[in-house]
Amino acid sequence: MTHFDRVRSQSILHNAWRKVRENGLQSPCKDTREKVREFDRDVVRGLRQIADQLRGKRFRFEPQIGIRKRRAGKTPRPLVVAAVRNRIVQRAILDVLQLEPAIQEILSTPTSFGGIRDRGVRCAIAAACRTIKAGAKYYIRSDIKDFFARIPRLHVLAQIEDQVRDPDFRNLLQAATDTTLANLEEIGEDAYLFPLREIGVAQGSPLSPLLGNILLRDLDRDMNARGIMCFRYIDDLILFGPTASRVRKAFESAQRSLGSFGMNAYDPKTDAKKAEEGAVSDGFAFLGCHIGRGSLIQPVKAAKKKLLASVKVALTEGRRGIVIASDEGRPKLPQRRYVQTLTDVDNILKGWGHAFSFCNGRMGFTELDRKIDEMLSDFKAFTGRYGSGKSKAVHRRILGVHLLVDTPYLPLQP
Protein backbone atom coordinates (compact mmCIF):
# COMPACT_ATOMS: atom_id res chain seq x y z
CA MET A 1 0.00 0.00 0.00
CA THR A 2 1.39 3.42 -0.98
CA HIS A 3 1.59 6.39 1.37
CA PHE A 4 -1.23 8.04 -0.59
CA ASP A 5 -3.43 4.95 -0.24
CA ARG A 6 -2.85 4.94 3.53
CA VAL A 7 -4.02 8.55 3.84
CA ARG A 8 -7.41 7.75 2.25
CA SER A 9 -7.92 4.50 4.16
CA GLN A 10 -10.93 4.42 6.48
CA SER A 11 -8.84 3.57 9.55
CA ILE A 12 -6.48 6.52 9.07
CA LEU A 13 -9.27 8.99 8.26
CA HIS A 14 -11.41 7.89 11.23
CA ASN A 15 -8.45 8.16 13.58
CA ALA A 16 -7.62 11.61 12.19
CA TRP A 17 -11.24 12.71 12.69
CA ARG A 18 -11.25 11.58 16.33
CA LYS A 19 -8.24 13.78 17.04
CA VAL A 20 -9.65 16.75 15.12
CA ARG A 21 -12.97 16.37 16.94
CA GLU A 22 -11.37 16.13 20.38
CA ASN A 23 -9.21 19.21 19.82
CA GLY A 24 -12.00 21.15 18.13
CA LEU A 25 -14.55 20.66 20.91
CA GLN A 26 -12.01 21.94 23.45
CA SER A 27 -11.15 24.99 21.34
CA PRO A 28 -11.81 28.40 22.92
CA CYS A 29 -13.07 29.54 19.50
CA LYS A 30 -16.86 29.30 19.23
CA ASP A 31 -16.81 29.03 15.43
CA THR A 32 -14.36 26.12 15.55
CA ARG A 33 -16.55 24.23 18.02
CA GLU A 34 -19.63 24.83 15.83
CA LYS A 35 -17.89 23.64 12.65
CA VAL A 36 -16.75 20.44 14.36
CA ARG A 37 -20.27 19.76 15.66
CA GLU A 38 -21.68 20.42 12.20
CA PHE A 39 -19.34 17.87 10.60
CA ASP A 40 -20.09 15.40 13.40
CA ARG A 41 -23.81 15.39 12.56
CA ASP A 42 -23.12 13.43 9.36
CA VAL A 43 -19.58 12.23 9.94
CA VAL A 44 -19.94 8.94 8.02
CA ARG A 45 -21.00 10.78 4.86
CA GLY A 46 -18.32 13.44 5.36
CA LEU A 47 -15.46 10.95 5.73
CA ARG A 48 -16.72 8.87 2.82
CA GLN A 49 -16.78 11.98 0.63
CA ILE A 50 -13.19 12.85 1.60
CA ALA A 51 -12.04 9.27 0.87
CA ASP A 52 -13.82 9.26 -2.52
CA GLN A 53 -12.31 12.61 -3.51
CA LEU A 54 -8.84 11.45 -2.50
CA ARG A 55 -9.27 8.20 -4.43
CA GLY A 56 -10.22 10.14 -7.56
CA LYS A 57 -7.51 12.76 -6.89
CA ARG A 58 -10.24 15.39 -6.75
CA PHE A 59 -9.73 16.50 -3.15
CA ARG A 60 -8.94 20.20 -2.84
CA PHE A 61 -7.99 22.02 0.34
CA GLU A 62 -10.36 24.89 1.02
CA PRO A 63 -8.91 28.41 1.44
CA GLN A 64 -8.19 29.17 5.09
CA ILE A 65 -9.08 32.15 7.26
CA GLY A 66 -6.26 34.34 8.52
CA ILE A 67 -6.64 35.78 12.02
CA ARG A 68 -4.43 38.50 13.44
CA LYS A 69 -4.22 37.91 17.16
CA ARG A 70 -3.50 41.28 18.68
CA ARG A 71 -0.75 41.57 21.30
CA ALA A 72 -0.02 44.70 23.32
CA GLY A 73 3.12 46.40 22.03
CA LYS A 74 3.87 43.55 19.60
CA THR A 75 3.25 42.54 16.04
CA PRO A 76 -0.03 40.60 15.72
CA ARG A 77 0.36 36.82 15.81
CA PRO A 78 -0.81 35.29 12.49
CA LEU A 79 -3.10 32.32 13.09
CA VAL A 80 -4.54 30.27 10.24
CA VAL A 81 -7.91 28.57 10.71
CA ALA A 82 -8.62 25.75 8.28
CA ALA A 83 -11.86 23.99 7.39
CA VAL A 84 -12.59 20.77 9.29
CA ARG A 85 -12.07 18.63 6.17
CA ASN A 86 -8.67 20.28 5.62
CA ARG A 87 -7.61 19.43 9.16
CA ILE A 88 -8.77 15.83 8.84
CA VAL A 89 -6.62 15.25 5.77
CA GLN A 90 -3.66 17.14 7.26
CA ARG A 91 -3.91 15.00 10.38
CA ALA A 92 -4.15 11.84 8.25
CA ILE A 93 -0.99 12.87 6.38
CA LEU A 94 0.76 13.45 9.71
CA ASP A 95 -0.29 10.00 11.00
CA VAL A 96 1.08 8.35 7.84
CA LEU A 97 4.36 10.26 8.03
CA GLN A 98 4.82 9.25 11.66
CA LEU A 99 4.93 5.62 10.51
CA GLU A 100 7.96 6.36 8.30
CA PRO A 101 11.18 4.99 9.95
CA ALA A 102 13.26 8.10 9.10
CA ILE A 103 10.60 10.36 10.61
CA GLN A 104 10.29 8.11 13.66
CA GLU A 105 14.02 8.47 14.22
CA ILE A 106 13.73 12.27 14.27
CA LEU A 107 10.70 12.17 16.56
CA SER A 108 12.46 9.83 18.99
CA THR A 109 15.02 12.50 19.95
CA PRO A 110 14.86 12.33 23.78
CA THR A 111 15.19 16.09 24.29
CA SER A 112 12.52 17.12 21.77
CA PHE A 113 8.88 17.53 22.77
CA GLY A 114 5.69 18.89 21.24
CA GLY A 115 4.00 17.73 18.05
CA ILE A 116 5.18 14.21 18.90
CA ARG A 117 2.93 11.35 19.95
CA ASP A 118 3.01 10.80 23.73
CA ARG A 119 5.65 13.54 24.21
CA GLY A 120 3.70 16.56 25.36
CA VAL A 121 4.07 19.19 28.07
CA ARG A 122 3.92 16.60 30.85
CA CYS A 123 7.01 14.81 29.46
CA ALA A 124 8.92 18.07 28.95
CA ILE A 125 8.25 19.24 32.52
CA ALA A 126 9.26 15.81 33.87
CA ALA A 127 12.55 15.98 31.93
CA ALA A 128 13.27 19.44 33.34
CA CYS A 129 12.59 18.25 36.89
CA ARG A 130 14.87 15.23 36.46
CA THR A 131 17.66 17.49 35.24
CA ILE A 132 17.27 19.75 38.27
CA LYS A 133 17.41 16.77 40.62
CA ALA A 134 20.55 15.59 38.80
CA GLY A 135 22.30 18.82 39.81
CA ALA A 136 21.61 21.53 37.22
CA LYS A 137 22.10 24.95 38.84
CA TYR A 138 21.45 27.54 36.14
CA TYR A 139 19.10 27.91 33.21
CA ILE A 140 18.14 30.07 30.24
CA ARG A 141 14.57 29.85 28.95
CA SER A 142 13.56 31.40 25.66
CA ASP A 143 11.53 30.87 22.53
CA ILE A 144 12.36 31.24 18.86
CA LYS A 145 11.06 34.48 17.42
CA ASP A 146 8.40 34.11 14.69
CA PHE A 147 9.33 30.43 14.42
CA PHE A 148 6.55 29.13 12.16
CA ALA A 149 6.75 32.16 9.87
CA ARG A 150 10.47 31.51 9.30
CA ILE A 151 10.52 27.76 8.64
CA PRO A 152 11.98 27.18 5.13
CA ARG A 153 9.04 25.04 4.04
CA LEU A 154 10.36 23.85 0.68
CA HIS A 155 13.70 22.92 2.26
CA VAL A 156 11.98 20.72 4.87
CA LEU A 157 9.56 19.21 2.33
CA ALA A 158 12.57 18.22 0.19
CA GLN A 159 13.95 16.27 3.16
CA ILE A 160 10.65 14.43 3.53
CA GLU A 161 10.48 13.72 -0.20
CA ASP A 162 13.91 12.07 -0.02
CA GLN A 163 12.28 9.44 2.21
CA VAL A 164 8.92 9.09 0.43
CA ARG A 165 8.94 7.90 -3.18
CA ASP A 166 5.24 8.42 -3.79
CA PRO A 167 4.45 11.33 -6.15
CA ASP A 168 0.72 11.42 -5.29
CA PHE A 169 1.51 11.65 -1.58
CA ARG A 170 4.17 14.30 -2.19
CA ASN A 171 1.71 16.41 -4.18
CA LEU A 172 -0.88 16.06 -1.42
CA LEU A 173 1.68 17.03 1.24
CA GLN A 174 2.70 20.08 -0.79
CA ALA A 175 -0.93 21.19 -1.08
CA ALA A 176 -1.56 20.49 2.61
CA THR A 177 1.23 22.86 3.65
CA ASP A 178 0.32 25.67 1.24
CA THR A 179 -1.43 28.66 2.80
CA THR A 180 -4.21 30.24 0.75
CA LEU A 181 -6.35 32.81 2.56
CA ALA A 182 -9.99 33.43 1.73
CA ASN A 183 -9.95 36.79 3.53
CA LEU A 184 -6.73 38.17 2.06
CA GLU A 185 -8.39 41.41 0.97
CA GLU A 186 -9.74 41.98 4.48
CA ILE A 187 -6.30 41.40 6.01
CA GLY A 188 -4.83 44.05 3.74
CA GLU A 189 -1.41 45.38 4.71
CA ASP A 190 -0.98 42.68 7.37
CA ALA A 191 -0.83 39.97 4.68
CA TYR A 192 2.98 39.89 5.04
CA LEU A 193 2.54 38.26 8.46
CA PHE A 194 1.17 35.06 6.89
CA PRO A 195 3.19 32.27 5.21
CA LEU A 196 1.90 32.77 1.69
CA ARG A 197 5.12 31.81 -0.12
CA GLU A 198 7.93 29.27 0.21
CA ILE A 199 9.03 30.50 3.65
CA GLY A 200 6.84 29.76 6.65
CA VAL A 201 4.10 27.34 7.61
CA ALA A 202 0.63 27.94 9.00
CA GLN A 203 0.50 28.18 12.77
CA GLY A 204 -2.39 25.94 13.67
CA SER A 205 -1.85 23.23 11.05
CA PRO A 206 -1.26 19.70 12.44
CA LEU A 207 1.72 19.40 10.08
CA SER A 208 3.57 22.56 11.14
CA PRO A 209 5.13 21.16 14.36
CA LEU A 210 6.45 18.18 12.41
CA LEU A 211 8.16 20.43 9.86
CA GLY A 212 9.70 22.43 12.72
CA ASN A 213 10.96 19.29 14.45
CA ILE A 214 12.54 18.01 11.23
CA LEU A 215 14.26 21.36 10.67
CA LEU A 216 15.80 21.49 14.15
CA ARG A 217 16.85 17.85 14.56
CA ASP A 218 20.57 18.77 14.32
CA LEU A 219 20.13 21.55 16.89
CA ASP A 220 18.54 19.05 19.30
CA ARG A 221 21.52 16.73 18.94
CA ASP A 222 24.29 19.32 19.01
CA MET A 223 23.04 21.29 22.01
CA ASN A 224 23.05 18.34 24.40
CA ALA A 225 26.75 17.95 25.09
CA ARG A 226 29.52 19.29 27.33
CA GLY A 227 27.42 19.07 30.49
CA ILE A 228 24.49 21.06 29.01
CA MET A 229 20.92 19.84 28.67
CA CYS A 230 18.68 21.61 26.16
CA PHE A 231 14.99 20.70 26.00
CA ARG A 232 12.90 21.98 23.11
CA TYR A 233 9.11 22.08 22.88
CA ILE A 234 8.64 23.08 19.22
CA ASP A 235 9.78 26.74 19.48
CA ASP A 236 10.34 26.90 23.26
CA LEU A 237 13.86 26.25 24.55
CA ILE A 238 15.27 25.74 28.01
CA LEU A 239 18.96 25.11 28.70
CA PHE A 240 20.36 23.77 31.98
CA GLY A 241 23.94 23.62 33.15
CA PRO A 242 26.30 23.72 36.15
CA THR A 243 27.33 27.38 35.80
CA ALA A 244 25.81 30.56 34.40
CA SER A 245 28.74 31.09 32.01
CA ARG A 246 28.47 27.63 30.47
CA VAL A 247 24.72 27.99 29.97
CA ARG A 248 25.25 31.39 28.39
CA LYS A 249 27.92 29.99 26.06
CA ALA A 250 25.58 27.18 25.00
CA PHE A 251 22.77 29.66 24.37
CA GLU A 252 25.02 31.72 22.10
CA SER A 253 25.89 28.55 20.20
CA ALA A 254 22.18 27.87 19.74
CA GLN A 255 21.75 31.39 18.38
CA ARG A 256 24.39 30.74 15.74
CA SER A 257 22.71 27.49 14.70
CA LEU A 258 19.31 29.19 14.45
CA GLY A 259 20.90 32.03 12.49
CA SER A 260 21.69 29.62 9.66
CA PHE A 261 17.91 29.39 9.08
CA GLY A 262 17.32 33.12 9.49
CA MET A 263 16.01 32.61 13.02
CA ASN A 264 16.95 33.73 16.49
CA ALA A 265 15.76 33.14 20.04
CA TYR A 266 14.84 35.96 22.42
CA ASP A 267 17.79 36.89 24.64
CA PRO A 268 16.94 37.39 28.33
CA LYS A 269 19.47 40.23 28.45
CA THR A 270 17.44 42.29 25.98
CA ASP A 271 13.98 40.64 26.00
CA ALA A 272 13.18 40.01 29.65
CA LYS A 273 9.46 39.60 28.91
CA LYS A 274 10.07 36.79 26.43
CA ALA A 275 13.05 35.03 28.01
CA GLU A 276 14.68 34.60 31.40
CA GLU A 277 17.84 33.27 33.00
CA GLY A 278 19.06 32.67 36.51
CA ALA A 279 19.53 30.18 39.28
CA VAL A 280 17.25 27.16 39.21
CA SER A 281 16.70 27.53 42.96
CA ASP A 282 14.87 30.83 42.36
CA GLY A 283 12.21 29.09 40.29
CA PHE A 284 11.26 29.68 36.66
CA ALA A 285 8.40 29.46 34.17
CA PHE A 286 8.32 26.87 31.39
CA LEU A 287 5.43 25.85 29.11
CA GLY A 288 2.76 27.58 31.16
CA CYS A 289 4.00 26.16 34.46
CA HIS A 290 6.05 27.60 37.29
CA ILE A 291 8.66 25.20 38.66
CA GLY A 292 9.74 26.25 42.13
CA ARG A 293 11.91 25.03 44.96
CA GLY A 294 11.56 21.30 45.58
CA SER A 295 10.13 20.85 42.05
CA LEU A 296 6.81 22.40 43.09
CA ILE A 297 4.84 22.70 39.85
CA GLN A 298 1.78 24.88 39.35
CA PRO A 299 0.12 26.76 36.48
CA VAL A 300 1.39 30.29 35.90
CA LYS A 301 -0.93 33.22 36.65
CA ALA A 302 -1.51 33.89 32.95
CA ALA A 303 -2.83 30.34 32.45
CA LYS A 304 -5.29 30.74 35.32
CA LYS A 305 -6.43 34.11 34.03
CA LYS A 306 -6.94 32.69 30.54
CA LEU A 307 -9.10 29.86 31.92
CA LEU A 308 -11.40 32.24 33.76
CA ALA A 309 -11.66 34.42 30.66
CA SER A 310 -12.66 31.40 28.52
CA VAL A 311 -15.37 30.40 31.00
CA LYS A 312 -16.65 33.97 31.08
CA VAL A 313 -16.89 34.10 27.27
CA ALA A 314 -18.85 30.82 27.17
CA LEU A 315 -21.29 32.02 29.84
CA THR A 316 -21.75 35.36 28.07
CA GLU A 317 -22.63 33.54 24.84
CA GLY A 318 -25.08 31.41 26.82
CA ARG A 319 -26.78 34.49 28.28
CA ARG A 320 -27.31 35.89 24.80
CA GLY A 321 -28.90 32.63 23.68
CA ILE A 322 -31.18 32.52 26.72
CA VAL A 323 -32.41 36.07 26.07
CA ILE A 324 -33.34 35.13 22.50
CA ALA A 325 -34.94 31.83 23.52
CA SER A 326 -37.11 33.57 26.17
CA ASP A 327 -39.01 35.46 23.47
CA GLU A 328 -42.58 34.09 23.36
CA GLY A 329 -42.58 34.75 19.61
CA ARG A 330 -40.59 31.53 19.12
CA PRO A 331 -37.72 32.96 17.09
CA LYS A 332 -35.12 30.74 15.46
CA LEU A 333 -33.45 29.16 18.47
CA PRO A 334 -29.75 29.85 19.06
CA GLN A 335 -27.36 26.93 19.51
CA ARG A 336 -26.05 28.05 22.91
CA ARG A 337 -28.58 28.00 25.75
CA TYR A 338 -28.44 26.69 29.34
CA VAL A 339 -27.57 23.02 28.82
CA GLN A 340 -25.30 23.64 25.84
CA THR A 341 -23.45 26.39 27.69
CA LEU A 342 -22.80 24.12 30.67
CA THR A 343 -21.49 21.49 28.25
CA ASP A 344 -19.12 24.06 26.73
CA VAL A 345 -17.88 25.10 30.16
CA ASP A 346 -17.46 21.46 31.14
CA ASN A 347 -15.30 20.81 28.04
CA ILE A 348 -13.20 23.91 28.72
CA LEU A 349 -12.56 22.84 32.31
CA LYS A 350 -11.80 19.24 31.38
CA GLY A 351 -9.32 20.36 28.73
CA TRP A 352 -7.57 22.82 31.05
CA GLY A 353 -7.55 20.37 33.94
CA HIS A 354 -6.05 17.63 31.78
CA ALA A 355 -3.37 20.02 30.50
CA PHE A 356 -2.24 20.73 34.09
CA SER A 357 -3.09 17.40 35.70
CA PHE A 358 0.58 16.76 36.55
CA CYS A 359 0.87 19.88 38.72
CA ASN A 360 1.63 18.96 42.34
CA GLY A 361 0.96 22.48 43.60
CA ARG A 362 -2.84 22.33 43.51
CA MET A 363 -3.68 25.09 45.97
CA GLY A 364 -4.65 27.36 43.09
CA PHE A 365 -7.16 24.81 41.77
CA THR A 366 -9.39 25.32 44.79
CA GLU A 367 -9.40 29.10 44.33
CA LEU A 368 -10.20 28.70 40.62
CA ASP A 369 -13.09 26.37 41.43
CA ARG A 370 -14.44 28.92 43.90
CA LYS A 371 -14.47 31.66 41.26
CA ILE A 372 -16.02 29.37 38.67
CA ASP A 373 -18.72 28.33 41.18
CA GLU A 374 -19.62 32.00 41.59
CA MET A 375 -19.83 32.47 37.83
CA LEU A 376 -22.03 29.37 37.46
CA SER A 377 -24.32 30.51 40.30
CA ASP A 378 -24.80 33.87 38.60
CA PHE A 379 -25.53 32.11 35.30
CA LYS A 380 -28.09 29.82 36.95
CA ALA A 381 -29.80 32.81 38.59
CA PHE A 382 -29.82 34.67 35.26
CA THR A 383 -31.50 31.67 33.60
CA GLY A 384 -34.10 31.51 36.37
CA ARG A 385 -34.99 35.18 35.97
CA TYR A 386 -35.60 34.82 32.23
CA GLY A 387 -37.62 31.63 32.73
CA SER A 388 -39.77 33.10 35.50
CA GLY A 389 -43.42 33.47 34.52
CA LYS A 390 -42.84 31.97 31.06
CA SER A 391 -44.75 29.09 29.58
CA LYS A 392 -43.46 25.55 29.95
CA ALA A 393 -42.52 25.55 26.26
CA VAL A 394 -40.40 28.70 26.57
CA HIS A 395 -38.85 27.32 29.74
CA ARG A 396 -37.75 24.21 27.79
CA ARG A 397 -36.26 26.36 25.05
CA ILE A 398 -34.32 28.40 27.58
CA LEU A 399 -32.98 25.23 29.17
CA GLY A 400 -31.84 24.05 25.76
CA VAL A 401 -33.84 20.80 25.81
CA HIS A 402 -35.43 20.16 22.43
CA LEU A 403 -39.18 20.74 22.20
CA LEU A 404 -40.84 18.29 19.82
CA VAL A 405 -43.24 20.91 18.46
CA ASP A 406 -40.18 22.90 17.34
CA THR A 407 -39.18 20.08 14.98
CA PRO A 408 -39.35 21.50 11.43
CA TYR A 409 -42.06 19.88 9.30
CA LEU A 410 -40.61 18.11 6.28
CA PRO A 411 -43.43 16.96 3.96
CA LEU A 412 -43.08 13.89 1.80
CA GLN A 413 -41.90 14.48 -1.72
CA PRO A 414 -44.76 14.09 -4.23
Side-chain angles (χ1 to χ4, degrees), residues 362-406:
R362 304 176 75 89
M363 301 78 71
F365 285 30
T366 301
E367 178 61 17
L368 284 171
D369 277 333
R370 185 189 65 78
K371 292 180 179 179
I372 292 167
D373 283 343
E374 292 176 356
M375 296 164 72
L376 290 174
S377 294
D378 289 344
F379 181 62
K380 183 177 181 180
F382 177 91
T383 305
R385 289 196 298 273
Y386 270 87
S388 179
K390 301 291 185 179
S391 67
K392 290 183 178 180
V394 171
H395 188 64
R396 275 259 294 273
R397 295 182 186 119
I398 289 173
L399 287 179
V401 179
H402 182 64
L403 202 67
L404 292 176
V405 297
D406 287 342

Side-chain angles (χ1 to χ4, degrees), residues 56 92 107 117 125 130 132-133 147 174 180 185 194 204 243 251 256 259 272 306 329 355 364 384 407:
L107 299 182
R117 186 177 297 156
I125 296 294
R130 286 195 299 268
I132 294 169
K133 290 180 180 178
F147 178 62
Q174 176 79 45
T180 304
E185 184 175 341
F194 294 86
T243 66
F251 178 73
R256 290 191 293 272
K306 185 176 180 180
T407 305

Side-chain angles (χ1 to χ4, degrees), residues 166-185:
D166 181 346
D168 290 332
F169 180 84
R170 288 157 62 171
N171 291 338
L172 185 66
L173 175 62
Q174 176 79 45
T177 56
D178 281 339
T179 300
T180 304
L181 299 182
N183 61 334
L184 192 59
E185 184 175 341

Side-chain angles (χ1 to χ4, degrees), residues 113 119-129 231-233 286-287:
F113 306 88
R119 293 182 63 78
V121 172
R122 174 192 298 269
C123 296
I125 296 294
C129 290
F231 300 117
R232 182 178 62 81
Y233 191 97
F286 182 46
L287 301 178

Side-chain angles (χ1 to χ4, degrees), residues 333-346:
L333 293 175
Q335 290 291 330
R336 306 269 69 76
R337 285 163 284 154
Y338 186 74
V339 171
Q340 294 84 359
T341 300
L342 292 184
T343 299
D344 280 350
V345 171
D346 185 52

